[in-house]
Amino acid sequence: MLQSMTGQGQAQSTGDLGTVSVEIRTVNNRGLKLSARLGDQLSRLEPQVDAVVRQHLTRGSVNLNARWQRASAASAYRINEAALTEYHRSLSQLQTKLDDTAPIDLAQLAALPGVIQEADDQTIDPKELWALLQPVLVAALENLNQMRAAEGASMLTSLQTDLALIAEHLEAICKLAPRVVDGYRERLESRIGDLLRERGLEVATIDLLKELQVFADRTDISEEITRLQSHLQMFDETVASEQASGRRLDFVIQEMFRETNTIGSKANDAEIAMHVVDMKCAIERMRELIQNIE
């Protein structure tokens, strides 16, 4: 079924390592373009993130933002026991020299440089982080695709409405097409008859028939009508299939416009031209929607 390239999805989960949240926004693009903001902590997982995104999306410009917040602020830091022990030993020696018996406050020692250090993210196993991030990423992508599918269903309704409208106009053109040559024959006989009578001349019937045959060949739109009917059927089958492709639909709509344009230029009839204008308007509406189909 049709799926839009525009949408938004998000998901969040909390585990032993903390909370991971993922937000994804997509807009239309000719191919798949991923822009991921993972932060310093999750940047090592970018190849895995890229692979999962490509499993769920085929086209669109994707903006992905993933954040990881540790389980507690305290877990982001560690105590440098060697530095703290050295500070304590030095103060103990100085107290002995000064004959000072005051207790040493460890909290004050912790405020000295080098005692409290930020935890090194490299010590965290990337597999553990991926185990936390991966299901959240998948959930966000599924949430995104739900929105894209809903928009795609709305687009499908609009496309089918315009497709039916084009088919109606084409049916009317099929009924009008035979009269084009008849009308030309009547005008030709009337104008030539008046002109010949004024000059007292005559024209052979065979010459009129030859002129009519040339006009009929030049204005024959039967092939264009047949091809356009085939394109309408192909479009309808494509949007109804489970593997509907925006690229394929874009190609079909180009062929539909080409045949419609040719009908308008060859038919040489004002009423047919009015139907062609309405068909072109419908095709343009469809083309705009197709640009946003995955």
Side-chain angles (χ1 to χ4, degrees):
M1 300 299 292
L2 294 188
Q3 186 154 291
S4 171
M5 281 192 282
T6 301
Q8 178 181 356
Q10 56 187 4
Q12 180 175 300
S13 179
T14 300
D16 294 338
L17 294 179
T19 300
V20 166
S21 59
V22 175
E23 182 177 358
I24 307 174
R25 296 175 183 270
T26 60
V27 294
N28 61 322
N29 194 55
R30 293 185 65 86
L32 180 60
K33 180 182 178 182
L34 173 61
S35 176
R37 297 177 57 189
L38 304 178
D40 295 336
Q41 302 93 338
L42 302 176
S43 59
R44 290 169 289 165
L45 303 176
E46 186 168 354
Q48 294 96 310
V49 170
D50 184 89
V52 171
V53 169
R54 293 182 183 278
Q55 289 173 2
H56 289 77
L57 307 176
T58 58
R59 293 180 68 197
S61 182
V62 183
N63 289 294
L64 186 150
N65 188 15
R67 293 181 296 274
W68 170 44
Q69 184 177 358
R70 293 176 181 272
S72 66
S75 64
Y77 300 93
R78 67 181 182 87
I79 297 176
N80 187 335
E81 296 183 4
L84 181 60
T85 301
E86 183 59 29
Y87 279 131
H88 191 279
R89 187 187 63 78
S90 298
L91 284 175
S92 297
Q93 291 178 350
L94 184 58
Q95 281 185 318
T96 300
K97 290 181 180 180
L98 298 177
D99 196 21
D100 184 3
T101 59
I104 298 175
D105 190 347
L106 292 179
Q108 291 182 345
L109 293 182
L112 295 176
V115 176
I116 303 297
Q117 295 181 333
E118 189 171 359
D120 184 4
D121 292 330
Q122 299 297 328
T123 61
I124 299 176
D125 189 348
K127 293 182 179 180
E128 295 183 21
L129 270 180
W130 179 240
L132 178 63
L133 174 61
Q134 192 264 349
V136 181
L137 175 60
V138 170
L141 287 166
E142 291 176 348
N143 182 236
L144 166 71
N145 280 333
Q146 288 175 1
M147 180 177 179
R148 285 156 55 110
E151 185 173 338
S154 177
M155 294 166 66
L156 174 60
T157 300
S158 179
L159 288 171
Q160 289 176 329
T161 298
D162 279 326
L163 198 68
L165 182 63
I166 294 172
E168 290 178 8
H169 285 294
L170 186 58
E171 184 178 355
I173 290 174
C174 289
K175 296 178 180 178
L176 293 171
R179 81 173 193 181
V180 174
V181 175
D182 293 337
Y184 180 73
R185 176 180 55 78
E186 293 174 0
R187 294 193 302 271
L188 185 65
E189 290 176 344
S190 175
R191 292 175 183 176
I192 290 180
D194 292 343
L195 184 62
L196 293 177
R197 280 192 295 271
E198 290 176 3
R199 289 173 169 75
L201 301 174
E202 291 184 1
V203 63
T205 303
I206 188 66
D207 293 329
L208 287 176
L209 292 176
K210 288 181 179 178
E211 172 62 24
L212 281 173
Q213 184 60 46
V214 171
F215 179 80
D217 291 340
R218 189 171 66 247
T219 59
D220 182 21
I221 57 175
S222 58
E223 290 187 9
E224 287 76 10
I225 289 175
T226 300
R227 286 196 292 267
L228 182 52
Q229 289 172 334
S230 175
H231 295 328
L232 292 176
Q233 182 179 354
M234 182 183 298
F235 191 97
D236 190 40
E237 292 174 353
T238 301
V239 297
S241 70
E242 295 184 359
Q243 297 179 344
S245 166
R247 287 192 180 95
R248 180 177 176 84
L249 291 174
D250 187 50
F251 171 77
V252 176
I253 205 75
Q254 289 181 34
E255 295 303 309
M256 288 170 55
F257 184 84
R258 192 195 317 278
E259 301 301 339
T260 302
N261 198 47
T262 304
I263 289 173
S265 61
K266 289 179 64 175
N268 196 27
D269 182 84
E271 192 170 350
I272 289 179
M274 293 177 60
H275 286 289
V276 167
V277 169
D278 289 337
M279 291 166 67
K280 285 183 176 181
C281 291
I283 290 174
E284 282 302 316
R285 289 193 298 270
M286 295 170 70
R287 191 199 303 273
E288 291 181 5
L289 286 179
I290 289 171
Q291 299 307 311
N292 199 39
I293 293 176
E294 187 174 15

